[in-house]
Amino acid sequence: MSQWNQVQQLEIKFLEQVDQFYDDNFPMEIRHLLAQWIETQDWEVASNNETMATILLQNLLIQLDEQLGRVSKEKNLLLIHNLKRIRKVLQGKFHGNPMHVAVVISNCLREERRILAAANMPIQGPLEKSLQSSSVSERQRNVEHKVSAIKNSVQMTEQDTKYLEDLQDEFDYRYKTIQTMDQGDKNSILVNQEVLTLQEMLNSLDFKRKETLSKMTQIVNETDLLMNSMLLEELQDWKKRQQIACIGGPLHNGLDQLQNCFTLLAESLFQLRQQLEKLQEQSTKMTYEGDPIPAQRAHLLERATFLIYNLFKNSFVVERQPCMPTHPQRPMVLKTLIQFTVKLRLLIKLPELNYQVKVKASIDKNVSTLSNRRFVLCGTHVKAMSSEESSNGSLSVEFRHLQPKEMKCSTGSKGNEGCHMVTEELHSITFETQICLYGLTINLETSSLPVVMISNVSQLPNAWASIIWYNVSTNDSQNLVFFNNPPSVTLGQLLEVMSWQFSSYVGRGLNSEQLNMLAEKLTVQSNYNDGHLTWAKFCKEHLPGKTFTFWTWLEAILDLIKKHILPLWIDGYIMGFVSKEKERLLLKDKMPGTFLLRFSESHLGGITFTWVDQSENGEVRFHSVEPYNKGRLSALPFADILRDYKVIMAENVPENPLKYLYPDIPKDKAFGKHYSSQPCEVSRPTERGDKGYVPSVFIPISTIRSDSTEPQSPSDLLPMSPSAYAVLRENLSPTTIETAMNSPYSAE
């Protein structure tokens, strides 16, 4: 089943997450119509290869043209219109930057895999549970309800203000009419009645002014309470969800809902200010002793203006944190002289602000909190916000061509060459703008989450570890001295984040058994919900008896999966994290030939397999091969290794001992679809292949002594073509072959 078909079968809560990352950059219509073709292309490689990206973009447009031809025959007018529009947008947007479309599509496919993995992993850790608290969603509904109520109240005071204006106009007309009468007429009974009417109107006007100002005061009080007790808390929760999403956690959403609330409140407050200005005009035209407008209006205007300032200052947010397009799964790690992207949004969407708000980006603005290292941003660092920067019309700006450059050190040497990059040193990118609206001038400033600077890609793993630790440990968005004394985290939280690394980076998270093994490796205990772990234990101190840290070991496994065994991992056929002791407990009662795949604990980035069989006297035996690393797996696909693997035991004919993937899945059923070719039969020297050569393939062969139950040495695993082995069998005895295989000169 294709990945897209699996996505479409998800529950509605997961489908809503999918909907979040499809926009005009990569419309969902294209994902649906070209699902099979899209999934067969290597978009991730293309995202770092301009030639390949250009070819894929051209092929994408060709595929769209073919779809257009098909729907044209069906006379589907709406689909024809949408496809033509989408084709025009894609060609215009990505023609000069084809690698960007590869990045976008690669990100979408990866997010789909992460959501599929989350849907198949019912276990939720403490962090994810806290983010999905029912009380949070209840508060969000309350905020939306109260914002709507405030908007309605302002509409009511608008009517009250209009009524006051009409009442005062009528009073003025009647009053001026009396003033123009002759002196004799002024003493008539009708005039006296008119004076009484005017007095009643004045009383009514006074009452209505007081009532309207009371309503306005209530609106200001309710807005103040809503902003400080609920809306800003909702915004902080969104920022926390963004932090978690940046390190692989669940996708964060809710920004559109916040924008709606911020915008409605801003509109309401500006409307309230206009009403207060109208009351001032009315009071100027006609006032009297005890008039409430001079006594209350100025204070109300001051409070409303303060709320507008506060609302705007909190509405300026980093919608997408700094990230290098070449490493989309490692945001907030920036390499010197390499471009990165970052996106800002103003949550108050007013048409008067479109293209009027210019944002300036800078780095390390508050230099007093930093080390002696200094950076500057090269590229376009001033851009205007516009509604065209976002698919939903929000007021946004995306910086795509910024790159950090280190300034010269005090010693005079070049910054990024002469100074040592510290992957625990945090820096901040700041954004400033100024809003001029309705006579108000408001200066806004916001900052990205702390970033780590590197000068070489080899520093990326440790830099990413720093980003993980920071964002799982604190809600503070600007603690740049965090690593002077980094706090510990609960083991349960850390392991949950480790599972997120696998789900976001290689498409499948870790189950409870795998997490138990990691817990034992970190703390020598299986109950990983208790206790804390220090930064040093995670990333600084070597594992017992090893020359590498826990994070280095785990990062090497992630790299191995990503580059060499990704399909097998996604299918769930690699147990991976299981100790040797647990491995034997699992296999001892299984059928001979049952095997499992696990990651090496002693080799960085290594994977091995262990199978079980029985000796002639019924004794259970276990056999493990030397771990395969990226060097060997680059030469021979792992699925083919499992298919063709042979062992020589004593004087027996070589055979493949791998029959069933644990617990009892036939090997070919599990891995058949991942074989790169059909298995080749051993060819005799007399048989002629293409161009007169004997066909050959490389197969892995191990020799195992009949009394051996220990893992094999590096010299036990040798590649040999079937034809070469056939010649050996024909001319040499099995004993001679075994002696040669065990020779010290046969080592790699």
Side-chain angles (χ1 to χ4, degrees):
M1 183 184 297
S2 71
Q3 181 172 308
W4 184 243
N5 284 336
Q6 294 179 58
V7 168
Q8 294 177 85
Q9 295 179 14
L10 290 171
E11 297 178 17
I12 186 65
K13 65 177 181 179
F14 295 110
L15 289 176
E16 289 175 353
Q17 295 181 32
V18 174
D19 184 60
Q20 291 291 323
F21 54 82
Y22 280 105
D23 53 27
D24 284 346
N25 284 329
F26 183 37
M28 191 179 289
E29 295 97 321
I30 302 305
R31 178 66 179 99
H32 181 75
L33 289 172
L34 306 180
Q36 185 174 359
W37 179 80
I38 286 171
E39 291 177 27
T40 57
Q41 312 305 311
D42 198 336
W43 299 100
E44 186 153 348
V45 172
S47 65
N48 295 303
N49 186 317
E50 187 170 2
T51 302
M52 185 176 177
T54 302
I55 294 172
L56 281 181
L57 178 58
Q58 292 172 348
N59 289 340
L60 176 63
L61 297 176
I62 291 172
Q63 292 285 332
L64 272 178
D65 289 337
E66 292 178 357
Q67 290 293 327
L68 264 171
R70 181 182 63 80
V71 299
S72 296
K73 294 178 182 178
E74 300 173 358
K75 297 182 179 180
N76 189 331
L77 184 60
L78 180 60
L79 190 54
I80 292 171
H81 171 78
N82 286 340
L83 287 180
K84 285 183 177 179
R85 178 185 59 82
I86 289 169
R87 191 193 190 287
K88 183 178 180 180
V89 169
L90 290 180
Q91 190 169 22
K93 188 183 291 283
F94 299 117
H95 178 70
N97 189 8
M99 291 172 62
H100 187 53
V101 72
V103 170
V104 169
I105 297 178
S106 175
N107 289 347
C108 288
L109 294 176
R110 184 184 70 254
E111 287 300 331
E112 285 180 9
R113 290 195 298 269
R114 192 197 64 75
I115 292 173
L116 286 170
N120 294 323
M121 300 286 291
I123 299 173
Q124 288 185 330
L127 284 171
E128 188 167 353
K129 286 180 180 178
S130 67
L131 295 177
Q132 297 179 354
S133 170
S134 59
S135 62
V136 173
S137 58
E138 181 66 25
R139 185 179 65 206
Q140 180 177 321
R141 287 191 293 270
N142 287 337
V143 169
E144 293 174 347
H145 174 74
K146 289 181 180 296
V147 167
S148 180
I150 289 172
K151 183 68 175 177
N152 291 335
S153 297
V154 172
Q155 296 298 332
M156 295 296 294
T157 55
E158 181 73 23
Q159 295 177 20
D160 291 339
T161 305
K162 178 63 176 172
Y163 174 78
L164 276 170
E165 186 176 12
D166 293 341
L167 184 61
Q168 183 168 318
D169 287 344
E170 184 180 357
F171 180 89
D172 285 344
Y173 175 77
R174 289 179 177 238
Y175 182 77
K176 289 178 181 178
T177 300
I178 294 177
Q179 293 297 316
T180 58
M181 288 182 179
D182 294 334
Q183 187 64 34
D185 295 335
K186 290 182 179 180
N187 297 323
S188 67
I189 297 175
L190 290 176
V191 171
N192 291 334
Q193 289 178 344
E194 187 67 17
V195 171
L196 290 174
T197 301
L198 284 175
Q199 185 61 51
E200 290 176 0
M201 289 182 67
L202 183 60
N203 292 338
S204 178
L205 186 68
D206 180 64
F207 174 81
K208 199 63 180 177
R209 282 186 176 184
K210 290 177 179 177
E211 182 186 52
T212 301
L213 287 166
S214 176
K215 289 180 179 179
M216 290 180 173
T217 301
Q218 185 176 355
I219 290 172
V220 170
N221 290 338
E222 290 177 353
T223 303
D224 194 352
L225 182 63
L226 173 63
M227 284 178 54
N228 291 295
S229 67
M230 299 179 72
L231 184 60
L232 296 186
E233 286 185 19
E234 192 71 22
L235 178 62
Q236 290 304 314
D237 282 345
W238 177 85
K239 290 181 177 181
K240 178 58 181 176
R241 292 196 298 272
Q242 185 190 50
Q243 277 189 274
I244 294 302
C246 285
I247 55 175
L251 282 177
H252 65 293
N253 49 34
L255 199 58
D256 290 343
Q257 291 88 337
L258 281 168
Q259 175 180 290
N260 184 56
C261 292
F262 270 81
T263 300
L264 287 177
L265 280 182
E267 291 174 345
S268 299
L269 288 169
F270 277 120
Q271 191 174 359
L272 192 66
R273 288 182 84 250
Q274 290 175 344
Q275 293 169 13
L276 288 168
E277 293 296 337
K278 288 181 180 179
L279 289 180
Q280 174 65 15
E281 293 174 5
Q282 294 174 20
S283 180
T284 302
K285 290 179 180 179
M286 190 193 78
T287 187
Y288 49 87
E289 185 178 352
D291 185 356
I293 294 178
Q296 299 181 38
R297 189 200 69 89
H299 180 62
L300 272 178
L301 183 62
E302 182 181 354
R303 290 188 63 194
T305 303
F306 175 79
L307 289 174
I308 289 173
Y309 273 92
N310 198 25
L311 196 65
F312 266 98
K313 287 181 179 296
N314 285 283
S315 72
F316 192 37
V317 299
V318 180
E319 181 177 355
R320 191 162 59 240
Q321 293 293 331
C323 182
M324 295 186 291
T326 53
H327 296 84
Q329 293 146 325
R330 299 291 188 264
M332 284 96 76
V333 177
L334 306 180
K335 184 178 180 298
T336 53
L337 302 180
I338 295 295
Q339 289 183 354
F340 67 90
T341 65
V342 60
K343 187 174 183 179
L344 287 297
R345 189 198 284 201
L346 193 67
L347 297 180
I348 298 175
K349 179 186 174 183
L350 299 175
E352 297 88 345
L353 297 175
N354 196 25
Y355 284 107
Q356 301 303 312
V357 181
K358 293 185 178 181
V359 179
K360 178 183 178 182
S362 60
I363 189 169
D364 290 349
K365 179 184 176 184
N366 301 316
V367 294
S368 60
T369 63
L370 303 174
S371 69
N372 292 325
R373 297 172 61 225
R374 296 288 181 268
F375 293 88
V376 293
L377 289 179
C378 301
T380 305
H381 63 282
V382 178
K383 289 188 68 176
M385 284 187 146
S386 75
S387 57
E388 285 74 26
E389 286 281 353
S390 180
S391 60
N392 62 0
S394 61
L395 202 61
S396 305
V397 60
E398 183 172 10
F399 292 91
R400 300 186 182 94
H401 305 293
L402 294 174
Q403 54 181 248
K405 178 182 179 181
E406 188 167 8
M407 299 171 67
K408 290 184 178 180
C409 297
S410 57
T411 58
S413 60
K414 290 186 178 180
N416 58 6
E417 295 176 356
C419 295
H420 177 62
M421 292 286 185
V422 181
T423 56
E424 297 171 34
E425 189 175 277
L426 301 175
H427 301 266
S428 177
I429 301 175
T430 303
F431 305 91
E432 300 170 277
T433 189
Q434 188 178 78
I435 303 289
C436 297
L437 189 65
Y438 302 138
L440 299 179
T441 299
I442 310 172
N443 295 316
L444 307 182
E445 180 177 307
T446 190
S447 297
S448 70
L449 289 169
V451 299
V452 173
M453 296 295 178
I454 61 174
S455 59
N456 192 291
V457 175
S458 63
Q459 297 170 308
L460 194 146
N462 283 340
W464 180 239
S466 299
I467 295 298
I468 289 175
W469 200 267
Y470 181 92
N471 288 288
V472 77
S473 302
T474 179
N475 294 333
D476 190 342
S477 62
Q478 286 302 298
N479 185 2
L480 301 183
V481 294
F482 173 86
F483 283 102
N484 287 352
N485 184 26
S488 61
V489 301
T490 66
L491 191 55
Q493 286 180 327
L494 181 64
L495 291 172
E496 183 181 7
V497 175
M498 293 302 97
S499 180
W500 291 345
Q501 302 312 297
F502 282 81
S503 62
S504 64
Y505 195 67
V506 292
R508 187 181 184 87
L510 305 180
N511 58 33
S512 57
E513 288 78 14
Q514 292 167 325
L515 292 174
N516 275 328
M517 187 271 187
L518 293 183
E520 292 174 0
K521 197 167 188 66
L522 280 167
T523 64
V524 197
Q525 66 180 35
S526 60
N527 185 6
Y528 60 79
N529 287 319
D530 298 324
H532 286 71
L533 196 74
T534 63
W535 166 244
K537 188 78 172 178
F538 174 67
C539 194
K540 293 297 180 182
E541 299 173 0
H542 288 174
L543 289 168
K546 304 294 188 297
T547 59
F548 46 79
T549 66
F550 172 83
W551 172 248
T552 302
W553 173 72
L554 203 67
E555 175 74 11
I557 290 172
L558 282 166
D559 188 62
L560 176 78
I561 296 173
K562 184 73 171 179
K563 295 179 179 177
H564 300 289
I565 54 176
L566 183 61
L568 278 62
W569 174 260
I570 291 177
D571 283 351
Y573 291 144
I574 298 176
M575 187 172 293
F577 297 103
V578 55
S579 64
K580 294 180 181 179
E581 295 75 15
K582 181 67 177 292
E583 174 185 72
R584 297 196 171 197
L585 288 174
L586 294 174
L587 291 175
K588 68 176 184 178
D589 296 325
K590 295 299 178 181
M591 294 181 292
T594 301
F595 67 99
L596 56 78
L597 311 176
R598 67 176 177 85
F599 300 121
S600 172
E601 296 181 65
S602 56
H603 292 66
L604 282 178
I607 185 170
T608 183
F609 48 86
T610 300
W611 73 92
V612 63
D613 65 12
Q614 292 182 350
S615 63
E616 294 181 357
N617 61 10
E619 179 185 359
V620 176
R621 300 181 300 186
F622 305 93
H623 308 279
S624 298
V625 298
E626 181 194 8
Y628 289 83
N629 57 23
K630 60 183 180 181
R632 288 180 171 179
L633 295 178
S634 297
L636 198 60
F638 194 47
D640 289 358
I641 289 174
L642 297 173
R643 179 193 64 194
D644 299 329
Y645 181 75
K646 300 288 192 298
V647 294
I648 304 174
M649 300 186 67
E651 298 183 358
N652 296 328
V653 175
E655 63 177 25
N656 192 324
L658 310 179
K659 307 297 182 186
Y660 307 99
L661 177 67
Y662 180 88
D664 54 9
I665 307 173
K667 178 184 65 180
D668 291 339
K669 181 179 180 181
F671 303 107
K673 66 179 180 181
H674 301 300
Y675 297 155
S676 62
S677 61
Q678 294 300 316
C680 297
E681 297 295 331
V682 175
S683 303
R684 308 293 295 175
T686 56
E687 297 175 357
R688 300 182 64 82
D690 293 339
K691 300 180 181 180
Y693 292 103
V694 176
S696 64
V697 294
F698 284 97
I699 60 173
I701 296 179
S702 294
T703 59
I704 299 180
R705 298 174 182 271
S706 59
D707 59 347
S708 173
T709 60
E710 297 300 319
Q712 304 305 300
S713 67
S715 63
D716 291 331
L717 187 59
L718 295 174
M720 182 181 295
S721 70
S723 56
Y725 185 72
V727 173
L728 290 178
R729 283 189 57 206
E730 190 172 81
N731 296 282
L732 299 173
S733 69
T735 303
T736 304
I737 293 175
E738 181 181 0
T739 301
M741 294 290 286
N742 288 325
S743 167
Y745 298 104
S746 65
E748 290 183 271

